[in-house]
């Protein structure tokens, strides 16, 4: 799973449910939808295979191969894992990778997940989505497909994805999916290589007629560690981009979501307060009904081998679906218990008045401290009021 192969919040029916259950208000972000049950499983991202036809410079994996992996979950193991998810809750299952379309059984798996009550999304690099593949995806009950575009131009995207022509293939994949009635969204990893193109990325998304644009702030994991020093935005630029993203979200031209960018939810509240606006679904869309870091709280990630992690970027194993029931992992993992306890947040995150809606990125904390995933977020410029008062 790359830093932008994520289907979070992609399903039209989910969005409709949020509107119908609008909790409104500008409080800590609690809502009738996302927060109506403590630690309720909402989204599972499954790395269906580590095999991929690209070698993206930011990939979360170091061992991506151009073929299916021998230790990928088999079809039957995959179905058993899906049965385990159902016992834990009727969540959204995002089929990711690697490249999920490498698996010849991906359509069978998607249809099975739908048949047992899960909502299914697909996250792909888009280069393999021919008209025939698009039809198969639609027939397999997938609700929406997220395709990664990591630049506003072929030159920028192709260099990042290490495949000449990959941008044009991805755009054609979007059009092929739209031709068979599939909902589509664009995922974009934002880093130094393309931050100057964010306005054009937004314009392109609108021009392509996709339902949503999700931006992902680079997380230093896997290959991303090797490029972090050269590619990561500094904290000030990070803040600038998230403020820009807030501005376009208010235009209402397209669904937007900032992912792996928990401070966005603090910025949203600061900006709304300054504008005298109450936060609700009507004013702020899906962002009103969720919070920043959800790792281990309403989402998790399952590797191609069956390991369970809080998210795809935090390499701290919480359990294994081939060794125990998924519900047991979800309900009893010590790693998840830590992430669900905000009193364990360290540094300025621990005293921040926005910690209930932000929490900082636990994966970036892990990277910066070389192992402490409860430490303070290293890419945040905000100074909590308690710290300001102590300095006064």
């Amino acid at each position: 799973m790359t830093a932008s192969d994520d289907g979070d919040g992609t399903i039209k029916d989910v969005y409709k449910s949020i509107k119908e259950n609008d909790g409104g208000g500008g409080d800590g972000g609690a809502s009738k939808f996302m927060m109506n049950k403590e630690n309720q499983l909402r989204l599972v991202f499954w790395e269906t295979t580590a095999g991929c036809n690209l070698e993206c410079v930011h990939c979360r994996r170091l061992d991506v191969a151009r073929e299916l992996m021998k230790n990928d979950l088999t079809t039957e193991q995959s179905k058993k894992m899906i049965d385990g998810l159902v016992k834990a809750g009727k969540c959204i299952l995002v089929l990711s990778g690697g490249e999920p379309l490498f698996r010849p059984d991906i359509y069978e798996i998607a249809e099975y997940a739908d048949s047992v009550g899960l909502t299914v999304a697909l996250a792909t690099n888009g280069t393999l989505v021919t008209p025939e593949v698009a039809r198969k995806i639609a027939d397999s009950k997938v609700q929406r497909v997220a395709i990664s575009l990591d630049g506003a131009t072929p030159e920028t995207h192709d260099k990042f994805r290490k495949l000449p022509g990959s941008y044009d293939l991805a755009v054609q994949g979007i059009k092929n999916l739209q031709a068979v009635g599939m909902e589509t969204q664009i995922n974009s990893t934002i880093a130094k290589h393309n931050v100057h193109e964010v306005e054009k990325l937004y314009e392109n998304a609108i021009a392509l007629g996709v339902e949503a644009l999700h931006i992902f702030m680079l997380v230093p994991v896997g290959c991303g560690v090797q490029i972090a020093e050269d590619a990561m935005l500094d904290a000030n630029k990070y803040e600038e981009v998230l403020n820009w993203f807030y501005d376009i979200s208010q235009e209402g031209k397209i669904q937007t979501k900032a992912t792996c960018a928990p401070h966005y939810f603090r910025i949203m509240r600061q900006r709304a307060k300054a504008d005298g606006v109450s936060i609700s679904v009507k004013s702020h869309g899906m962002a009103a009904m969720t919070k920043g870091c959800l790792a281990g709280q309403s989402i998790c990630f399952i590797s191609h081998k069956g390991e369970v992690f809080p998210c795809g970027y935090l390499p701290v194993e919480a359990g294994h679906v081939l060794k125990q029931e998924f519900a047991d992992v979800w309900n009893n993992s010590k790693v998840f218990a830590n992430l669900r306890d905000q009193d364990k947040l360290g540094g300025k995150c621990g005293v921040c008045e926005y910690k209930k809606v932000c929490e900082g990125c636990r994966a970036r904390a892990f990277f910066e401290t070389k192992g402490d995933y409860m430490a303070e977020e290293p890419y945040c410029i905000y100074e909590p009021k308690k710290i300001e008062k102590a300095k006064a």
Side-chain angles (χ1 to χ4, degrees):
M1 179 177 178
T2 70
S4 62
D5 291 339
D6 180 357
D8 185 10
T10 60
I11 311 304
K12 179 172 65 177
D13 289 343
V14 171
Y15 194 69
K16 181 180 178 182
S17 295
I18 292 175
K19 289 182 177 179
E20 292 172 349
N21 292 282
D22 182 4
D27 57 9
S31 73
K32 294 179 181 177
F33 182 73
M34 288 301 289
M35 307 300 172
N36 63 346
K37 182 179 178 182
E38 188 175 9
N39 305 323
Q40 183 174 359
L41 181 67
R42 291 293 183 185
L43 287 151
V44 174
F45 303 102
W46 173 35
E47 179 189 46
T48 58
T49 179
C52 189
N53 61 322
L54 303 183
E55 296 179 2
C56 306
V57 300
H58 65 314
C59 185
R60 64 172 295 277
R61 302 200 61 86
L62 292 171
D63 59 346
V64 172
R66 291 184 176 271
E67 60 186 2
L68 291 173
M69 306 293 279
K70 293 181 180 180
N71 53 1
D72 290 341
L73 295 181
T74 66
T75 304
E76 290 310 308
Q77 287 173 332
S78 300
K79 290 181 178 179
K80 185 176 180 180
M81 180 268 290
I82 289 169
D83 290 338
L85 297 182
V86 174
K87 293 178 182 178
K90 295 293 182 70
C91 63
I92 298 171
L93 175 63
V94 182
L95 305 175
S96 184
E99 175 48 57
L101 295 178
F102 259 37
R103 290 190 65 134
D105 62 351
I106 197 67
Y107 312 109
E108 178 184 350
I109 288 171
E111 196 162 358
Y112 181 78
D114 173 80
S115 73
V116 295
L118 300 185
T119 301
V120 186
L122 178 72
T124 170
N125 61 47
T127 61
L128 304 179
V129 184
T130 63
E132 180 184 10
V133 168
R135 172 48 62 190
K136 288 182 178 179
I137 292 171
D139 290 345
S140 65
K141 310 298 185 182
V142 170
Q143 297 297 304
R144 183 183 285 187
V145 180
I147 289 183
S148 301
L149 287 179
D150 292 318
T153 64
E155 180 182 10
T156 303
H157 173 89
D158 293 358
K159 184 177 180 180
F160 201 62
R161 292 273 166 173
K162 288 190 175 181
L163 178 67
S166 58
Y167 179 90
D168 290 337
L169 287 170
V171 169
Q172 187 58 52
I174 291 172
K175 293 178 179 178
N176 291 338
L177 289 161
Q178 291 171 338
V180 295
M182 283 299 306
E183 286 199 358
T184 54
Q185 81 175 43
I186 289 173
N187 292 342
S188 295
T189 297
I190 306 301
K192 288 181 180 178
H193 79 286
N194 67 355
V195 68
H196 60 289
E197 296 181 348
V198 290
E199 291 280 0
K200 184 63 176 174
L201 277 167
Y202 173 51
E203 293 170 3
N204 288 352
I206 294 171
L208 282 168
V210 298
E211 274 72 24
L213 171 65
H214 289 196
I215 63 167
F216 295 72
M217 310 309 285
L218 182 65
V219 178
V221 64
C223 295
V225 171
Q226 300 170 355
I227 66 169
E229 186 174 344
D230 295 328
M232 292 283 289
L233 302 180
D234 63 43
N236 287 295
K237 191 65 175 180
Y238 197 152
E239 192 89 354
E240 179 185 324
V241 172
L242 293 181
N243 271 281
W244 164 79
F245 201 66
Y246 178 83
D247 290 336
I248 68 167
S249 76
Q250 293 301 285
E251 293 179 3
K253 295 180 180 179
I254 192 172
Q255 294 174 24
T256 57
K257 188 174 188 300
T259 300
C260 299
H263 347 331
Y264 178 80
F265 297 88
R266 180 253 305 163
I267 290 170
M268 180 178 75
R269 282 160 177 80
Q270 290 175 309
R271 294 286 303 276
K273 183 178 180 180
D275 294 338
V277 177
S278 295
I279 293 175
S280 69
V281 166
K282 292 179 181 178
S283 62
H284 292 82
M286 292 180 67
M289 313 306 287
T290 184
K291 63 177 183 176
C293 186
L294 297 168
Q297 299 175 60
S298 62
I299 73 166
C300 70
F301 175 87
I302 299 176
S303 79
H304 71 112
K305 296 185 290 186
E307 304 149 309
V308 182
F309 298 104
C311 73
Y313 316 113
L314 181 53
V316 180
E317 187 173 336
H320 201 298
V321 297
L322 296 184
K323 300 175 183 179
Q324 61 197 121
E325 286 284 338
F326 174 82
D328 178 43
V329 179
W330 183 253
N331 293 322
N332 301 311
S333 162
K334 291 183 179 179
V335 174
F336 289 171
N338 287 336
L339 291 165
R340 293 166 184 172
D341 187 353
Q342 293 168 344
D343 290 337
K344 291 185 177 182
L345 289 171
K348 67 179 184 179
C349 285
V351 298
C352 185
E353 63 271 25
Y354 290 103
K355 69 179 182 180
K356 290 184 178 180
V357 296
C358 173
E359 289 198 33
C361 176
R362 299 300 94 221
R364 290 193 188 93
F366 179 87
F367 165 73
E368 191 73 15
T369 61
K370 296 180 172 55
D372 184 2
Y373 57 86
M374 298 305 289
E376 70 178 45
E377 157 73 59
Y379 293 90
C380 178
I381 67 170
Y382 183 69
E383 191 91 325
K385 290 181 179 179
K386 286 186 178 181
I387 294 179
E388 283 188 344
K389 289 180 180 179
K391 289 180 177 180

